[in-house]
Amino acid sequence: MDFELRILGSSSATPSANRHHTAQVLSIDNQYHLIDCGEGTQMQLMQYKIKHQRICNIYISHLHGDHYFGLPGLLSTMHLQGRHTPLHLFGPPGLSEILTLQFKYAGTNLCFPLVFHELETTAHKKIFENKQLTVHTLPMEHRVPCCGFLFREKQKSRPLIKEKLPSFLTPPQLVRLKWGEDIADDLGHILVYNKDVTMEPKRSRSYAYCSDSRYKPALLPYLHQVDLLYHEATFADDLRERATYTFHSTARQAAELAAAAGVRHLLIGHFSVRYKDLTPLLAEAREVFPRTDLATEGSIFGIIA
């Protein structure tokens, strides 16, 4: 099962010639989860040949324009191209009202069900679950209500070793073995030990998206040992005071959080347009956390189970 992140946009408040507003696509089991939807997102989807009709969920972190101004256009395109499958939209209070007003005066009645889930941005809560995945909010500290998102695969079943399986096992018993149970008779005598006929399951993977926020160590329990962490790094550390004042973080602060949480891999993004060259930001973060990369347009980051 795939677990792959594609970066569509990496710029902060204003775009530049080669950097777009924030948007990412997380592909899990061939389903697309769109995370934030800055201006130009649907053009980036076309640029990287990502079919927007396969997007099942959209997550909007907060209502600053560089994180959602592309949403009305994307939804309109889905409508015009005849989408019929439901689309789940997760966002802060006010987003539903904005879209309702937009479509009201455009005379647009979407031809597909848009299911809106209003988020409580100050808490760590489960907002989505299916057979493979759970998604929780991560409370950020920003100028407006804002949250990040934590994606975790559920525990996987144990592969059966076919050549070691006794012939008398029934299909329900095989299922129980896959989920770690021993098989006993009616008197409680063990007939088949799970460890003898199964292998260790593949590792469950995780991705944490930390949107616009001041440096916030309170996130550490939620980020502990995640596979891939994206954290905003709007400024270099010589502008730490400005970062704090504007409710943003520096590249060094993102790396400090990654190191303290023991994550496997850090991505930094949401760069101020003042930085034409991002190399100093990357170097600053790598001084603290060597396994850091830039979340720049077109980059793909896969997680192997």
Side-chain angles (χ1 to χ4, degrees), residues 14-27:
T14 57
S16 65
N18 60 349
R19 294 206 296 268
H20 297 74
H21 281 152
T22 300
Q24 305 179 358
V25 172
L26 183 63
S27 174

Side-chain angles (χ1 to χ4, degrees), residues 154-168:
K154 291 183 176 179
Q155 181 180 348
K156 299 176 181 178
S157 61
R158 301 177 65 87
L160 299 173
I161 306 173
K162 293 182 179 180
E163 58 272 19
K164 292 187 177 181
L165 293 173
S167 59
F168 62 79

Side-chain angles (χ1 to χ4, degrees), residues 116-279:
F116 182 67
H117 305 264
E118 186 172 287
L119 301 177
E120 183 182 340
T121 60
T122 60
H124 176 64
K125 285 191 172 183
K126 183 168 66 177
I127 58 172
F128 176 76
E129 181 176 16
N130 61 18
K131 291 182 179 179
Q132 296 86 20
L133 179 74
T134 62
V135 184
H136 287 75
T137 51
L138 295 168
M140 301 288 105
E141 186 178 343
H142 199 42
R143 300 196 308 276
V144 297
C146 180
C147 64
F149 304 100
L150 175 60
F151 300 79
R152 285 192 182 276
E153 282 187 313
K154 291 183 176 179
Q155 181 180 348
K156 299 176 181 178
S157 61
R158 301 177 65 87
L160 299 173
I161 306 173
K162 293 182 179 180
E163 58 272 19
K164 292 187 177 181
L165 293 173
S167 59
F168 62 79
L169 290 171
T170 65
Q173 289 174 327
L174 293 173
V175 171
R176 288 165 57 193
L177 284 169
K178 287 174 68 72
W179 291 106
E181 294 184 38
D182 296 326
I183 303 302
D185 62 20
D186 293 340
L187 299 176
H189 301 125
I190 301 298
L191 301 176
V192 181
Y193 286 96
N194 181 276
K195 62 181 177 62
D196 294 336
V197 296
T198 68
M199 295 182 289
E200 289 294 318
K202 289 186 176 180
R203 188 175 56 83
S204 297
R205 295 164 289 187
S206 55
Y207 172 58
Y209 172 82
C210 289
S211 185
D212 297 17
S213 180
R214 281 176 172 168
Y215 176 63
K216 189 173 181 181
L219 292 170
L220 288 174
Y222 310 132
L223 304 179
H224 182 62
Q225 293 185 346
V226 299
D227 290 296
L228 184 63
L229 167 65
Y230 167 87
H231 197 289
E232 73 122 286
T234 307
F235 300 104
D237 209 56
D238 61 337
L239 293 177
R240 183 177 285 222
E241 287 187 10
R242 177 164 179 77
T244 300
Y245 176 75
T246 58
F247 289 81
H248 285 295
S249 298
T250 71
R252 180 174 295 276
Q253 287 175 323
E256 289 170 350
L257 196 68
V263 307
R264 293 173 179 264
H265 191 179
L266 170 66
L267 306 178
I268 55 173
H270 198 262
F271 309 112
S272 167
V273 291
R274 74 186 66 217
Y275 301 108
K276 309 303 180 187
D277 177 14
L278 299 177
T279 305

Side-chain angles (χ1 to χ4, degrees), residues 3-190:
F3 198 109
E4 184 177 271
L5 182 73
R6 166 85 77 159
I7 307 301
L8 304 180
S10 67
S11 190
S12 59
T14 57
S16 65
N18 60 349
R19 294 206 296 268
H20 297 74
H21 281 152
T22 300
Q24 305 179 358
V25 172
L26 183 63
S27 174
I28 301 176
D29 196 21
N30 212 30
Q31 288 191 318
Y32 293 158
H33 298 257
L34 178 63
I35 308 168
D36 276 338
C37 189
E39 187 177 353
T41 292
Q42 63 175 319
M43 302 300 293
Q44 288 294 88
L45 291 170
M46 287 190 286
Q47 168 74 20
Y48 298 116
K49 296 179 172 57
I50 299 171
K51 296 180 179 180
H52 58 67
Q53 300 291 19
R54 286 170 56 188
I55 295 173
C56 59
N57 292 355
I58 298 177
Y59 307 84
I60 302 299
S61 62
H62 65 294
L63 294 183
H64 281 159
D66 55 321
H67 292 260
Y68 86 97
F69 275 173
L71 184 59
L74 176 60
L75 296 178
S76 296
T77 298
M78 289 178 172
H79 165 74
L80 292 171
Q81 294 189 355
R83 180 185 178 112
H84 295 295
T85 55
L87 177 67
H88 290 263
L89 173 61
F90 301 82
L95 180 58
S96 178
E97 180 183 357
I98 291 170
L99 293 175
T100 298
L101 191 64
Q102 174 85 21
F103 292 135
K104 173 184 175 180
Y105 286 102
T108 300
N109 294 306
L110 295 178
C111 63
F112 59 91
L114 181 62
V115 185
F116 182 67
H117 305 264
E118 186 172 287
L119 301 177
E120 183 182 340
T121 60
T122 60
H124 176 64
K125 285 191 172 183
K126 183 168 66 177
I127 58 172
F128 176 76
E129 181 176 16
N130 61 18
K131 291 182 179 179
Q132 296 86 20
L133 179 74
T134 62
V135 184
H136 287 75
T137 51
L138 295 168
M140 301 288 105
E141 186 178 343
H142 199 42
R143 300 196 308 276
V144 297
C146 180
C147 64
F149 304 100
L150 175 60
F151 300 79
R152 285 192 182 276
E153 282 187 313
K154 291 183 176 179
Q155 181 180 348
K156 299 176 181 178
S157 61
R158 301 177 65 87
L160 299 173
I161 306 173
K162 293 182 179 180
E163 58 272 19
K164 292 187 177 181
L165 293 173
S167 59
F168 62 79
L169 290 171
T170 65
Q173 289 174 327
L174 293 173
V175 171
R176 288 165 57 193
L177 284 169
K178 287 174 68 72
W179 291 106
E181 294 184 38
D182 296 326
I183 303 302
D185 62 20
D186 293 340
L187 299 176
H189 301 125
I190 301 298

